[in-house]
């Protein structure tokens, strides 16, 4: 009899809930999400403002399930799209169980960090953890200074950090690196695990919210669109990253293929705002667009685990960022 009650007790201890990482662009949010989930889920790009949709990664553990909600960066809005993104951010923050505020170790706290911290201070109920990222880029003295600065920032704004932790997510990506590499190859994975260890106790007791195999609940089409968009953004340094939107029109298994050799046909449109941007995306003799296709196809095949035929077209949707009707059509 006694054993039975113990067993029900231990199953009741399972926790599940939502966490989101916030921080200015390039603060390491997506990299941390990917390292925790162990799969490329949120797109990472060295262009700010590329994570558009709320991409969720799911960390499955025996005692808990941590659902990561990746919000777009909060920024001062200049367009209708910007305002819409910011609304999404605030409602997400108020609904999650814990917030991880990411600050890169290699950059002094700036106005962008203060702006976000100020917004965070307004969300009283949600526990907040400060995560100092990219620690592999600094020495211990610089790291110590950054940890103190973060502590101080919390005090000034009346934010009570539940924890302040340093982490290098990069390490756990390159599992093949030798420990003699800077900082020791295995350490990153441990540090990333520590982030999960600290987030989990802040989640409510609950059975798992998603089936075991799920890594993300994003519809595959949206994730495919994000991978194409990421590839399209690479190398287009001077254009506004926001002026590219991708819509996957259809994803269909190719008919009359043998079961052991499936092929998925994906037809997608890359939308830009002005005809003048068309040449930039397509490149001389279509070279640039071809590279985008090859690159994104590799990632899509890895994501879906099946060979893909990718058909890309570039279209102009005039000033789509400022047009509510077009925004809706493009999924915002």
């Amino acid at each position: 009899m006694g054993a039975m009650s113990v067993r029900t007790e231990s199953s009741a201890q399972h926790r599940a809930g939502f966490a989101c990482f916030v921080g200015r662009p390039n603060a390491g949010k997506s990299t941390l999400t990917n390292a925790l989930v162990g799969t490329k889920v949120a797109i990472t790009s060295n262009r700010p403002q590329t994570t558009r949709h709320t991409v969720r990664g799911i960390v499955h553990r025996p005692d808990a399930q941590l659902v990561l909600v990746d919000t777009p960066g909060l920024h001062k809005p200049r367009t209708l799209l910007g305002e819409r993104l910011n609304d999404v951010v605030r409602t997400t923050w108020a609904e999650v169980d814990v917030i991880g505020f990411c600050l890169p170790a290699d950059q002094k706290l700036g106005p962008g960090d203060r702006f976000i911290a100020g917004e965070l201070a307004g969300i009283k109920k949600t526990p907040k953890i400060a995560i100092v990222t990219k620690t592999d880029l600094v020495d211990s003295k610089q790291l110590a200074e950054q940890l103190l600065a973060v502590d101080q920032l919390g005090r000034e704004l009346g934010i009570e950090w539940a924890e302040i932790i340093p982490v290098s997510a990069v390490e756990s990506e390159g599992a093949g690196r030798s420990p003699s590499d800077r900082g020791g190859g295995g350490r990153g994975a441990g540090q990333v695990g520590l982030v999960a260890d600290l987030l989990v106790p802040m989640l409510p007791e609950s059975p798992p919210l998603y089936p075991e195999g799920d890594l993300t609940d994003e519809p595959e089409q949206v994730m495919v669109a994000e991978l194409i968009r990421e590839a399209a953004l690479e190398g287009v340094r001077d254009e506004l990253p926001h002026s590219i939107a991708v819509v996957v029109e259809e994803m269909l298994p190719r008919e009359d293929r043998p079961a052991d050799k499936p092929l998925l046909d994906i037809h997608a449109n890359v939308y830009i705002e002005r005809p003048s941007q068309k040449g930039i995306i397509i490149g001389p003799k279509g070279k640039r667009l071809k590279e985008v296709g090859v690159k994104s196809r590799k990632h899509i095949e890895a994501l879906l685990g099946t060979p893909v035929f990718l058909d890309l077209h570039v279209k102009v949707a005039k000033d789509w960022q400022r047009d509510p009707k077009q925004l809706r059509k493009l999924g915002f």
Side-chain angles (χ1 to χ4, degrees):
M1 185 68 204
M4 229 170 79
S5 60
V6 170
R7 195 171 306 135
T8 52
E9 191 131 309
S10 68
S11 66
Q13 289 304 308
H14 188 282
R15 293 179 181 274
F18 297 86
C20 78
F21 296 130
V22 307
R24 61 190 155 104
N26 294 335
K29 305 182 289 283
S30 296
T31 306
L32 188 56
T33 301
N34 295 337
L36 278 163
V37 178
T39 292
K40 188 172 168 123
V41 181
I43 63 166
T44 55
S45 153
N46 41 16
R47 300 280 326 201
Q49 297 311 336
T50 45
T51 313
R52 275 278 176 79
H53 300 273
T54 306
V55 179
R56 297 171 175 80
I58 303 167
V59 182
H60 298 275
R61 294 167 58 133
D63 59 331
Q65 191 178 67
L66 176 64
V67 183
L68 302 171
V69 189
D70 200 25
T71 51
L74 189 77
H75 55 104
K76 300 196 168 76
R78 283 187 301 274
T79 60
L80 180 64
L81 173 64
E83 280 172 36
R84 222 173 259 189
L85 286 176
N86 280 359
D87 292 343
V88 171
V89 173
R90 288 200 192 87
T91 48
T92 305
W93 290 5
E95 289 164 4
V96 298
D97 300 299
V98 54
I99 297 171
F101 181 27
C102 296
L103 304 111
D106 63 332
Q107 296 163 37
K108 285 224 180 314
L109 298 190
D113 299 311
R114 285 184 179 279
F115 174 64
I116 294 169
E119 293 282 333
L120 278 180
I123 297 169
K124 295 278 183 247
K125 290 203 170 64
T126 316
K128 299 160 203 68
I129 286 180
I131 304 168
V132 176
T133 60
K134 309 190 184 186
T135 54
D136 49 309
L137 302 179
V138 298
D139 58 28
S140 52
K141 179 173 176 286
Q142 216 176 330
L143 178 58
E145 282 167 8
Q146 190 72 326
L147 294 171
L148 283 170
V150 172
D151 181 51
Q152 185 59 37
L153 179 67
R155 270 187 224 166
E156 281 168 30
L157 295 171
I159 301 172
E160 181 121 354
W161 302 120
E163 302 274 354
I164 300 177
I165 47 171
V167 57
S168 154
V170 184
E171 307 264 341
S172 57
E173 287 188 335
R177 288 171 48 176
S178 73
S180 61
D181 273 341
R182 186 157 156 204
R187 213 181 55 192
Q191 293 180 346
V192 170
L194 179 68
V195 175
D197 291 343
L198 293 171
L199 293 173
V200 163
M202 302 187 182
L203 305 178
E205 287 189 14
S206 153
L209 304 166
Y210 291 87
E212 175 76 45
D214 288 10
L215 291 174
T216 169
D217 72 349
E218 275 281 287
E220 283 174 343
Q221 242 153 296
V222 175
M223 293 185 69
V224 166
E226 283 290 352
L227 289 171
I228 295 169
R229 187 165 175 268
E230 179 181 11
L233 283 171
E234 295 231 332
V236 191
R237 290 285 170 260
D238 323 325
E239 289 303 301
L240 266 181
H242 268 334
S243 52
I244 299 176
V246 175
V247 176
V248 172
E249 296 295 337
E250 56 177 22
M251 284 170 53
L252 293 169
R254 176 84 55 96
E255 292 188 6
D256 59 28
R257 295 281 292 202
D260 57 339
K261 289 212 172 91
L263 182 69
L264 189 66
D265 282 315
I266 298 179
H267 300 277
N269 291 328
V270 178
Y271 288 96
I272 47 184
E273 290 192 294
R274 289 186 296 283
S276 61
Q277 297 171 333
K278 210 165 174 173
I280 297 168
I281 288 286
I282 294 173
K285 296 191 176 153
K287 188 165 163 262
R288 174 104 183 71
L289 188 63
K290 204 167 170 181
E291 281 168 14
V292 170
V294 170
K295 190 161 187 174
S296 54
R297 198 184 73 227
K298 275 219 264 310
H299 286 311
I300 293 164
E301 290 181 336
L303 172 77
L304 302 177
T306 172
V308 162
F309 172 80
L310 184 59
D311 177 37
L312 281 185
H313 293 273
V314 178
K315 302 198 167 180
V316 179
K318 215 164 151 8
D319 291 330
W320 62 265
Q321 292 192 49
R322 297 175 191 279
D323 176 351
K325 215 159 74 221
Q326 302 226 47
L327 276 174
R328 271 200 302 281
K329 185 184 159 207
L330 297 174
F332 298 105

